[in-house]
């Protein structure tokens, strides 16, 4: 009996990646920022270490010829400081590259949209939380080298994400 669908990835009408029996369990297909297609074991899309590795593959011009690539050593610094200072009781953010070579972290929780724009070069971040119920915006600039600023970030996130 023929399957009703063919599992795979198609590009311009041609199969460029078919389901492979070598991969046991769920897998995901990732189209990277560089346009490469990668098949890998399913990972938590919020896995910070893996996401940092993906961001480190970017090259200048990653966004339609624009966009600075984050520097690998700055990404590694952020990964290390995040791992040591971010409260593990909090949900992990989605990480995205920023056009200026930084990183943007985003959290969504019902009534709030929260973002943290990270300036990797200067080790600073701009936190913004928008409350959709009353349009109140909470903003603060953080020095990511200072532990007390990480504590402040964790407290703010705990307040809005657990609300």
């Amino acid at each position: 009996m023929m399957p009703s669908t063919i599992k795979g990835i198609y590009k311009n009408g041609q199969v460029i990646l078919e389901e492979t029996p070598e991969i046991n369990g769920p897998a995901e297909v990732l189209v990277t920022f560089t346009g490469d297609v990668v098949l890998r074991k399913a990972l938590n899309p919020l896995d910070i270490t893996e996401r940092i590795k993906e961001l480190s593959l970017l090259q200048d011009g990653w966004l339609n010829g624009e966009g600075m690539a984050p520097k690998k050593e700055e990404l590694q610094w952020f990964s290390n400081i995040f791992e040591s200072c971010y409260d593990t009781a909090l949900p992990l953010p989605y990480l995205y590259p920023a056009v200026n070579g930084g990183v943007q972290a985003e959290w969504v929780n019902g009534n709030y949209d929260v973002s943290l724009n990270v300036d990797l070069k200067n080790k600073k971040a701009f936190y913004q939380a928008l409350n959709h119920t009353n349009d109140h915006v909470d903003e603060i600039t953080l020095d990511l080298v200072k532990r007390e600023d990480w504590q402040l970030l964790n407290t703010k996130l705990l307040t809005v994400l657990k609300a």
Side-chain angles (χ1 to χ4, degrees):
M1 177 176 211
M2 286 278 286
S4 60
T5 60
I6 298 173
K7 295 181 179 179
I9 305 264
Y10 296 84
K11 185 175 184 179
N12 298 329
Q14 299 216 349
V15 176
I16 59 171
L17 183 64
E18 291 186 57
E19 183 178 41
T20 58
E22 303 86 54
I23 297 183
N24 297 319
E28 73 177 279
V29 172
L30 171 70
V31 179
T32 66
F33 295 109
T34 60
D36 298 327
V37 176
V38 178
L39 180 67
R40 64 179 188 189
K41 284 285 196 181
L43 299 172
N44 179 346
L46 303 177
D47 183 318
I48 300 302
T49 303
E50 284 301 311
R51 191 66 177 132
I52 292 290
K53 286 179 188 174
E54 291 171 3
L55 294 174
S56 73
L57 299 176
L58 290 174
Q59 297 178 0
D60 284 345
W62 61 267
L63 182 64
N64 300 321
E66 297 184 25
M68 293 174 26
K71 293 184 177 169
K72 289 177 178 45
E73 61 275 3
E74 292 172 353
L75 284 169
Q76 188 59 54
W77 171 83
F78 180 71
S79 180
N80 292 340
I81 196 81
F82 188 92
E83 187 175 311
S84 67
C85 295
Y86 187 77
D87 187 340
T88 57
L90 290 166
L92 293 171
Y94 290 93
L95 292 183
Y96 302 100
V99 176
N100 65 357
V103 173
Q104 180 161 328
E106 295 181 358
W107 299 259
V108 178
N109 183 29
N111 295 329
Y112 287 90
D113 283 339
V114 182
S115 65
L116 185 71
N117 295 308
V118 180
D119 175 349
L120 294 170
K121 181 180 178 182
N122 295 307
K123 298 178 172 52
K124 307 269 188 216
F126 180 70
Y127 166 90
Q128 185 176 57
L130 169 62
N131 183 333
H132 291 287
T133 59
N134 61 17
D135 291 332
H136 175 75
V137 178
D138 182 19
E139 299 176 330
I140 188 167
T141 299
L142 302 163
D143 184 342
L144 298 179
V145 175
K146 297 180 179 178
R147 297 258 178 202
E148 57 270 17
D149 280 16
W150 278 96
Q151 290 172 346
L152 177 59
L153 173 63
N154 289 330
T155 300
K156 286 184 171 292
L157 289 170
L158 185 62
T159 300
V160 299
L161 298 177
K162 300 292 181 176

